[in-house]
Amino acid sequence: MKKTSISLIALGISLTATQTIAFEKGDFIIRAGLATVSPDESSSNIIVGSDLGVNLRVDDNTQLGLNFAYFLSDNLNVEVLAATPFKHDVNFGVNDPLGTGDQLGEVTHLPPTITVNYYFKDASSKFQPYVGAGLNYTIFFDEEFTNANDQAGLKDLSLDNSFGLAAQFGLDYMINENWFANGSVRWIDIDTEASFNLNGTPGRVDSIEIDPWVYTVSIGYRF
Ligand code: NI
């Protein structure tokens, strides 16, 4: 009798272990890894008095990505994406138009994003795929021209902050009850405009669509 109850308990534990590997309502998870922001940009031309006929390009950047999520139900979570600040080179759309090099300057931003994610549930599978949609607010700071452009008279670069939609799909791979690996791809609608001065004459770029793809690979932990 004693033997039977022990093996029943063992069976109960192993059933519980396979049942609880998937996320559940009330779970809080944290993920840390690398996030690459890869702009799919398009920009209008630089205007200083008249249209200079030159637009802008924005390079990729990779930073430490962190995110936190709370499961509102077995299938739905709310996730906040945070990261160390992304620093992007901003280049002229054509080579060296002002004789100051190919690079115009550099901008730094933080793109906090909140998404609600839906998990396609197969509770017994180690693969837990999801799709999500949400909102992004991108804060630009430390906008700087290169030294060569600064010496050519370009000053006071400023980019407007951006508020827009975000969408993603991702996959958690459950290593055990607490640890998992994650990969996700997001698209974020980040649109801004730039203003500056050239030897005292105001200049601007009216439309800069950065609209990046954000690729994240991370390790997660469930509390
Ligand atoms: Ni856009």
Side-chain angles (χ1 to χ4, degrees), residues 101-166:
D102 293 343
Q103 187 182 349
L104 175 73
E106 181 181 88
V107 297
T108 306
H109 72 88
L110 276 174
T113 305
I114 293 183
T115 48
V116 174
N117 303 297
Y118 176 81
Y119 278 72
F120 301 96
K121 222 48 184 207
D122 173 359
S124 62
S125 174
K126 291 184 175 207
F127 294 95
Q128 301 285 318
Y130 58 91
V131 293
L135 295 171
N136 163 266
Y137 190 69
T138 296
I139 303 150
F140 291 97
F141 55 99
D142 278 350
E143 304 101 318
E144 294 174 335
F145 287 111
T146 59
N147 283 337
N149 285 302
D150 186 80
Q151 276 154 29
L154 283 163
K155 310 279 182 198
D156 304 329
L157 179 62
S158 171
L159 268 65
D160 286 357
N161 293 341
S162 168
F163 183 67
L165 295 175

Side-chain angles (χ1 to χ4, degrees), residues 187-191 208-211:
W187 180 81
I188 307 181
D189 188 20
I190 302 178
D191 304 331
I208 306 171
E209 300 239 5
I210 299 175
D211 298 348

